[in-house]
């Protein structure tokens, strides 16, 4: 299972990368705005900065919503760095653009997936990744993990190469359940990734080991 971090915060990206278990980064316009990254030039430079930190796929989202605009923007984003994955919204114009990008060997991440039908049509178009937003489904009392499982079955039935990138991950149990289901990738906040390492028995066990070692070496 690949681990992506879902942020545009450089300190958090560096911290996750330093753990040695980071495979990629996802961003979106809201995450960029949260870090105060505004204006086209600053946004493009920020993508390059991230690509120079993490040696793996970095999703950069298009703003255009029409086919020609998405293609123009996506083709430019793809020239920024070899690690760029063009993030395209799940709309019909986006599906057409994903098909175009796929035929040109440009990697894509189809975002804002909330149903199995959307995941199916994105895979048909040749998306490299699809991003089902599981936390946002949970927010409206729909089980986001059920959607991940449904998509897993559909993709396995037809051996689609499209990777399931579980997004809108909020906590460590989301990550663990995604791993059980067989999501190819998860993208989440640093806090959720770091929480995977915590266990109170590990903490107390280590304290005891260190105390006993100190006693024996007085
Ligand atoms: O990867 C999608 C993500 O950025 C959305 O997360 O927490 O805003 O639903 P959230």
């Amino acid at each position: 299972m690949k681990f992506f971090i879902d942020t545009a915060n450089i300190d958090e990206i560096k911290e996750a990368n330093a753990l040695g278990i980071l495979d990629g980064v996802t961003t979106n316009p809201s995450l960029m705005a949260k870090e105060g990254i505004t204006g086209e030039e600053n946004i493009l430079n920020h993508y390059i900065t991230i690509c120079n930190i993490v040696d793996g796929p970095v999703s950069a989202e298009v703003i255009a919503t029409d086919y020609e605009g998405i293609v123009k923007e996506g083709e430019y984003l793809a020239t920024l760095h070899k690690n760029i994955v063009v993030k395209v919204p799940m709309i019909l114009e986006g599906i057409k653009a994903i098909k175009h990008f796929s035929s040109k060997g440009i990697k894509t991440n189809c975002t804002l997936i909330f149903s199995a039908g959307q995941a199916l049509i994105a895979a048909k178009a040749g998306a490299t990744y699809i991003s089902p937003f599981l936390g946002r489904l949970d927010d409206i009392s729909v089980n986001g993990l059920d959607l991940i499982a449904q998509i897993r079955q559909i993709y396995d039935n037809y051996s689609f190469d499209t990777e399931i990138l579980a997004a809108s991950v909020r906590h460590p149990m989301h990550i663990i359940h995604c791993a059980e289901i067989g999501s190819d990738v998860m993208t989440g906040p640093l806090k959720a990734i770091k929480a995977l390492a915590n266990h109170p028995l590990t903490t107390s066990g280590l304290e005891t080991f260190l105390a006993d070692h100190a006693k024996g070496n007085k």
Side-chain angles (χ1 to χ4, degrees), residues 6 26 28 31 87 111 131 133 135-136 139 167-170 187:
D6 194 30
T26 53
N28 63 39
L31 292 171
K87 203 169 181 188
T111 190
S131 290
F133 278 29
R136 291 194 193 183
D139 287 344
S168 187
V169 160
R170 302 275 174 76
T187 190

Side-chain angles (χ1 to χ4, degrees), residues 16-205:
N17 196 49
L19 290 172
I21 48 100
L22 190 67
D23 300 296
V25 181
T26 53
T27 62
N28 63 39
S30 304
L31 292 171
M32 284 288 194
K34 191 176 162 198
E35 299 306 320
I37 314 295
T38 55
E40 198 185 336
E41 200 183 330
N42 290 337
I43 291 171
L44 297 178
N45 284 334
H46 204 70
Y47 288 139
I48 295 169
T49 302
I50 295 172
C51 287
N52 287 332
I53 297 169
V54 180
D55 188 20
V58 173
S59 288
E61 188 156 344
V62 299
I63 302 302
T65 54
D66 63 297
Y67 172 73
E68 285 80 13
I70 296 171
V71 165
K72 189 172 166 214
E73 209 182 326
E75 286 185 347
Y76 184 68
L77 286 170
T79 66
L80 292 179
H81 195 282
K82 66 176 173 51
N83 291 352
I84 291 285
V85 172
V86 179
K87 203 169 181 188
V88 180
M90 165 35 78
I91 50 177
L92 287 175
E93 295 288 291
I95 290 298
K96 275 164 61 180
I98 287 170
K99 182 73 189 174
H100 167 83
F101 291 135
S102 164
S103 71
K104 294 193 84 179
I106 293 173
K107 291 190 174 151
T108 53
N109 174 1
C110 187
T111 190
L112 291 166
I113 297 270
F114 292 97
S115 77
Q118 292 178 325
L120 180 56
I121 198 170
K124 287 283 292 173
T128 315
Y129 304 95
I130 53 114
S131 290
F133 278 29
L134 67 97
R136 291 194 193 183
L137 282 170
D138 289 354
D139 287 344
I140 58 160
S141 305
V142 174
N143 190 332
L145 290 165
D146 285 349
L147 175 62
I148 307 285
Q150 199 181 7
I151 298 169
R152 180 72 283 154
Q153 182 178 344
I154 290 169
Y155 283 8
D156 287 351
N157 285 348
Y158 298 98
S159 301
F160 280 118
D161 290 332
T162 302
E163 293 190 40
I164 302 172
L165 194 173
S168 187
V169 160
R170 302 275 174 76
H171 50 73
M173 286 313 294
H174 270 157
I175 302 176
I176 292 162
H177 289 313
C178 281
E180 285 174 337
I181 292 166
S183 187
D184 301 287
V185 192
M186 79 82 205
T187 190
L190 180 62
K191 192 176 160 203
I193 295 172
K194 282 165 67 174
L196 290 173
N198 292 342
H199 197 287
L201 291 178
T202 306
T203 307
S204 60

